[in-house]
């Protein structure tokens, strides 16, 4: 019995990825191995619907699963009970004020069914470098001076690719996601990539798109102009209690 293997990438960060149609069915979406995590390679990957995901001791693995899990930015769902809890919340959401803290918290957050983390030292350093170039961003939820939730990901053009999120207080990651969707909707960014389906994302309104549709949409959005640099001033400070009303409005609009 022959075993199908992914393509192996060389050292040139400008070398193209294989077409995503060549990704394996098992494991779903494995497209290539090797290469590096340089900014050029990462930006090229995301633009074509590809992302890195691997564990310590493995080569870099590149994925493009089918289907792909996404959020429409006008369709993130917060339950009525959770929205009610936000009305009296003192939490505040900001962007790009604590990127390293957010990625470290995501790396150390326990995950059901997982031991250890896929956010290796090399992965952390690669996304910190992308943050310095204005392409990777964090959304942070604060209770006073305490960081209680957040997420980070990559922005290209008018497309945001979510990478990971965490909560150190109940609901912290939900607020980060809802706040990000709220701002992206205001900026007329229609889509947020969530990569791989799980029950929690589906409860929050995630959808499954065929890879072909996802890749075509992403390539078009990535070609559109998006402002470079940090989001701190543009995102501003968003009180979590404001999300209770905005979540209702977006769900009614559907």
């Amino acid at each position: 019995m022959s075993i199908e293997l992914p393509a192996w990438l060389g050292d040139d960060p400008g070398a193209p990825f294989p077409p995503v149609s060549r990704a394996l069915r098992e494991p779903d979406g494995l497209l290539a191995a090797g290469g590096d995590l340089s900014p050029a390679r990462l930006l090229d990957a995301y633009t074509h619907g590809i992302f890195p995901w691997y564990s310590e001791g493995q080569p870099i693995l590149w994925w493009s699963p089918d289907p792909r899990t996404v959020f429409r930015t006008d369709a993130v769902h917060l339950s009525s009970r959770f929205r009610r809890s936000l009305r009296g919340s003192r939490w505040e959401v900001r962007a790009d004020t604590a990127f390293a803290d957010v990625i470290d918290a995501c790396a150390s957050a326990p995950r059901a069914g997982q031991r250890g983390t896929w956010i290796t030292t090399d992965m952390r350093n690669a996304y910190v470098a992308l943050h310095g170039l204005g392409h990777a961003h964090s959304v942070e939820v604060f209770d006073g001076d305490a960081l209680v939730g957040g997420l980070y990901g990559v922005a290209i053009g008018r497309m945001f690719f979510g990478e990971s999120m965490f909560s150190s207080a109940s609901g912290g990651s939900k607020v980060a996601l809802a706040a990000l969707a709220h701002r992206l909707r205001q900026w007329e960014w229609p889509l947020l990539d969530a990569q791989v389906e799980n029950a929690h994302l589906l409860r929050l309104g995630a959808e499954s798109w065929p890879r072909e549709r996802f890749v075509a949409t992403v390539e078009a959005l990535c070609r559109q102009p998006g402002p470079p640099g940090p989001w701190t001033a543009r995102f501003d400070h968003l009180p979590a209690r404001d999300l209770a009303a905005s979540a209702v409005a977006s769900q009614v609009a559907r």
Side-chain angles (χ1 to χ4, degrees):
M1 180 180 67
S2 63
I3 299 175
E4 197 172 3
L5 298 175
W8 188 264
L9 300 178
D11 295 332
D12 178 8
F17 284 90
V20 295
S21 60
R22 296 184 187 173
L24 303 185
R25 292 183 178 273
E26 183 59 41
D28 178 32
L30 180 58
L31 176 66
D36 62 10
L37 296 172
S38 65
R41 179 97 69 178
L42 285 170
L43 294 176
D44 182 51
Y46 283 106
T47 299
H48 292 94
I50 303 163
F51 60 88
W53 185 28
Y54 67 103
S55 299
E56 196 73 57
Q58 293 180 327
I60 301 170
L61 301 177
W62 301 91
W63 302 79
S64 185
D66 187 13
R68 188 65 162 250
T69 303
V70 301
F71 287 97
R72 289 184 289 116
T73 57
D74 64 352
V76 172
H77 173 74
L78 299 179
S79 70
S80 298
R81 180 179 181 182
F82 188 68
R83 291 199 308 270
R84 286 195 299 270
S85 74
L86 291 180
R87 292 171 188 162
S89 175
R90 301 179 304 168
W91 291 359
E92 184 176 78
V93 189
R94 309 168 200 164
D96 288 343
T97 67
F99 184 88
D101 292 335
V102 168
I103 196 170
D104 289 344
C106 289
S108 61
R111 312 284 178 185
Q114 294 184 22
R115 293 192 300 173
T117 179
W118 55 269
I119 304 176
T120 65
T121 299
D122 287 345
M123 285 279 273
R124 180 192 185 279
N125 293 342
Y127 286 88
V128 169
L130 270 188
H131 174 65
L133 295 173
H135 283 292
H137 302 281
S138 59
V139 175
E140 309 120 11
V141 184
F142 284 94
D143 183 357
D145 294 329
L147 183 64
V148 296
L151 61 81
Y152 76 96
V154 175
I156 305 173
R158 288 176 55 218
M159 180 68 202
F160 189 86
F161 302 88
E163 273 296 315
S164 188
M165 56 186 182
F166 82 98
S167 295
S168 60
S170 179
S173 62
K174 290 182 188 178
V175 168
L177 176 65
L180 173 62
H182 176 75
R183 283 294 189 242
L184 293 179
R185 187 170 68 251
Q186 290 180 327
W187 301 343
E188 299 183 340
W189 295 34
L191 203 64
L192 164 60
D193 177 32
Q195 297 183 349
V196 179
E197 177 183 300
N198 64 48
H200 176 62
L201 297 178
L202 293 177
R203 285 193 295 270
L204 292 170
E207 304 175 1
S208 291
W209 282 21
R211 180 172 57 214
E212 186 176 3
R213 177 189 179 191
F214 173 78
V215 170
T217 303
V218 161
E219 289 182 350
L221 289 172
C222 287
R223 287 194 296 267
Q224 297 184 22
W231 281 0
T232 307
R234 189 178 187 217
F235 195 98
D236 203 2
H237 292 190
L238 178 61
R241 60 180 177 271
D242 290 359
L243 296 171
S246 69
V248 173
S250 67
Q251 290 161 37
V252 169
R254 296 176 64 192

